[in-house]
Amino acid sequence: MKLLFVAWILLKSLTTVYLKLINVRYSRRDKATIPEVLKDVISVESHEKSKRYLADNTRVDMAQELFHAGVTIALILLLAPWLERWATDLTGRYLTQGLIFFAMLFLVDYVLSLPFKIYDTFVLEQSYGFNRTSSKTFFLDELKGLFLGAILGGSLLLGILYVIQFPVWWWRFAVVIFPFILLIQWIAPVWIMPLFYRLSPLAEGELKVQIKEFALRLGIPLRQIVVMDASTRSSKGNAAFTGFGATQRLILFDTLLHYPPEEILSIVAHEWGHRKHHHLPKQMALSLGITLLVLALANYLTLSWIPVEHFGLSTLYGQFYLAIAVVSPLLFFIEPLTSRWSRKHEFEADRYAVLALGKPEATVRSLKRLIRDNLSNINPHPLYSAWFYSHPSPVERIGAIRGRTST
């Protein structure tokens, strides 16, 4: 049984590594030239740099994937049984035991993963000119994240520990998870994001006037326009509508502010397109449905299939941890379906932006600029992009915007 578990974990990780390898090789083949639609913004030098960036990222990702698989196997087979016994020796209170058990597992995984995060930020991203994070900011962000995780994650974990005391618990997770997700969505712009970034109102000027007029014309309930000091962490640009109800606001990365106004408007229109088409609640409903199906399987395994005595775990929280570790790789194997749905939403948001702004080439130019500035892979392997890409490939998006391909 242990060998079967190891094989299952490795199957997921080795499949990931294989997909990443074929993607890099596909991008470096002789036919992987600059597409005609991008030749006006991407030079040969920039293309070569994007391929090096992809290759370097892939090497780190593959190493991290295999390392994480080894950690998962070691945690289940070696550390989890010991932690379970240690927690039960410390206290007889079930909820306290569960909190100690999962807190220690999290800390071990966090400490082991931290070197990869440091390397990614201060070596890989730094070498390509993306990183602007100081070591002080990085470690302060990590401490804030740990503090926030302890409060929010601990609260969620208490609910989970209570729920799994029922023999059939999978459907009860909706009662715990769904309100928690809604709470996070609601408080994120006003409580969570300001812990990490400085958010200030967009300065008065032509851009603000144009955005307000644009929002008024489209009926966008624009409560606040704020600028995030994203440039203190990265040079990459983005924008988003966050929160809902009283906390809804438009957030612009300060790295976007040097873009021409009509390109910024096209990005804003795209982001509002997601709201207009109700993509967020649809994605949340899909995620919740998939999560409940996976949890139903995990619940079934704990009741009738997993011989937990083979793994040395005897408590409810130990059995739950084992079941989740067993079923989690399923999320990876259904990712092509969720990615396909997400890409459909991106096409819809692009179409909305084009119709709302009435300037398809402005949308194309903003997209080209983001592709160039972020060193995006312009020649992804079809299988890799079908599996992982939440957004269509650059050429697909531009072709759809210009009406040359079917969406």
Side-chain angles (χ1 to χ4, degrees):
M1 186 54 63
K2 289 182 178 181
L3 287 177
L4 187 61
F5 169 75
V6 171
W8 174 235
I9 297 298
L10 290 178
L11 175 64
K12 180 263 179 184
S13 291
L14 292 176
T15 303
T16 302
V17 168
Y18 169 74
L19 290 169
K20 289 184 177 295
L21 275 174
I22 63 171
N23 187 50
V24 170
R25 290 174 180 172
Y26 190 83
S27 73
R28 300 172 86 171
R29 74 197 199 288
D30 291 339
K31 293 182 180 180
T33 56
I34 303 171
E36 193 66 34
V37 295
L38 295 175
K39 285 184 176 179
D40 59 328
V41 295
I42 297 180
S43 64
V44 173
E45 294 77 16
S46 178
H47 186 213
E48 290 300 316
K49 185 178 181 181
S50 71
K51 289 193 287 186
R52 291 195 303 273
Y53 180 61
L54 173 66
D56 289 344
N57 255 311
T58 299
R59 277 191 288 270
V60 176
D61 287 347
M62 290 191 301
Q64 189 167 7
E65 177 66 35
L66 294 174
F67 180 79
H68 183 71
V71 169
T72 300
I73 292 168
L75 289 177
I76 288 291
L77 301 184
L78 301 174
L79 187 60
W82 180 85
L83 281 177
E84 186 187 68
R85 292 192 298 271
W86 181 61
T88 53
D89 288 342
L90 280 178
T91 178
R93 295 171 182 254
Y94 163 75
L95 291 178
T96 307
Q97 289 175 10
L99 287 174
I100 293 171
F101 176 78
F102 283 107
M104 294 307 297
L105 287 171
F106 168 78
L107 284 174
V108 170
D109 185 70
Y110 172 80
V111 169
L112 292 176
S113 301
L114 188 58
F116 287 99
K117 194 170 184 179
I118 293 172
Y119 181 87
D120 181 72
T121 301
F122 293 105
V123 178
L124 182 57
E125 295 293 294
Q126 185 86 28
S127 65
Y128 286 92
F130 290 131
N131 177 52
R132 294 178 179 174
T133 307
S134 66
S135 56
K136 177 182 177 181
T137 299
F138 177 85
F139 286 108
L140 279 176
D141 282 353
E142 292 299 309
L143 289 174
K144 293 173 188 175
L146 288 172
F147 175 74
L148 199 61
I151 295 174
L152 297 178
S155 301
L156 178 62
L157 183 56
L158 281 173
I160 291 173
L161 290 170
Y162 173 76
V163 162
I164 63 175
Q165 293 179 91
F166 295 91
V168 179
W169 44 255
W170 65 269
W171 62 269
R172 291 179 168 87
F173 264 75
V175 179
V176 175
I177 295 174
F178 189 65
F180 182 80
I181 293 173
L182 288 179
L183 175 65
I184 296 299
Q185 292 285 339
W186 189 65
I187 69 173
V190 293
W191 293 104
I192 298 177
M193 296 175 72
L195 291 175
F196 299 91
Y197 295 96
R198 186 175 68 252
L199 302 176
S200 16
L202 178 63
E204 298 296 331
E206 186 62 26
L207 177 60
K208 190 170 185 177
V209 170
Q210 288 189 35
I211 292 176
K212 284 188 171 182
E213 290 177 349
F214 186 65
L216 184 64
R217 179 166 64 85
L218 295 178
I220 300 174
L222 198 57
R223 298 176 183 276
Q224 293 187 51
I225 308 172
V226 297
V227 177
M228 175 192 289
D229 64 336
S231 60
T232 59
R233 271 80 170 175
S234 174
S235 63
K236 296 179 180 179
N238 208 343
F241 282 91
T242 62
F244 59 88
T247 68
Q248 179 175 291
R249 60 201 60 195
L250 169 63
I251 294 182
L252 302 174
F253 284 25
D254 59 355
T255 48
L256 281 183
L257 297 183
H258 68 280
Y259 284 27
E262 67 176 14
E263 292 183 22
I264 296 176
L265 288 178
S266 74
I267 295 171
V268 171
H270 173 94
E271 294 303 321
W272 182 250
H274 286 304
R275 293 283 177 125
K276 192 71 174 178
H277 288 288
H278 309 293
H279 290 159
L280 180 60
K282 289 177 182 177
Q283 291 280 11
M284 288 173 61
L286 177 65
S287 298
L288 184 62
I290 291 173
T291 299
L292 289 177
L293 285 174
V294 171
L295 289 171
L297 178 58
N299 196 175
Y300 170 75
L301 294 179
T302 59
L303 289 173
S304 58
W305 191 79
I306 296 181
V308 292
E309 65 275 5
H310 289 188
F311 293 87
L313 296 167
S314 58
T315 62
L316 290 174
Y317 51 82
Q319 294 170 19
F320 171 76
Y321 175 64
L322 174 60
I324 293 300
V326 170
V327 301
S328 290
L330 286 176
L331 296 173
F332 167 78
F333 289 104
I334 64 175
E335 193 169 349
L337 299 177
T338 58
S339 295
R340 180 183 176 86
W341 206 41
S342 177
R343 291 193 298 272
K344 179 177 179 293
H345 288 173
E346 293 302 324
F347 278 131
E348 290 175 352
D350 279 344
R351 188 182 303 116
Y352 178 86
V354 169
L355 294 175
L357 192 61
K359 297 178 180 179
E361 286 307 308
T363 304
V364 169
R365 286 194 297 273
S366 67
L367 181 58
K368 286 182 176 182
R369 192 185 298 269
L370 289 170
I371 292 166
R372 182 197 63 196
D373 293 350
N374 295 343
L375 292 180
S376 300
N377 179 17
I378 58 176
N379 298 115
H381 191 284
L383 179 58
Y384 184 88
S385 60
W387 201 298
F388 293 111
Y389 274 26
S390 61
H391 289 58
S393 70
V395 174
E396 289 175 324
R397 289 184 72 180
I398 293 173
I401 289 168
R402 288 176 169 170
R404 296 178 183 169
T405 62
S406 171
T407 60

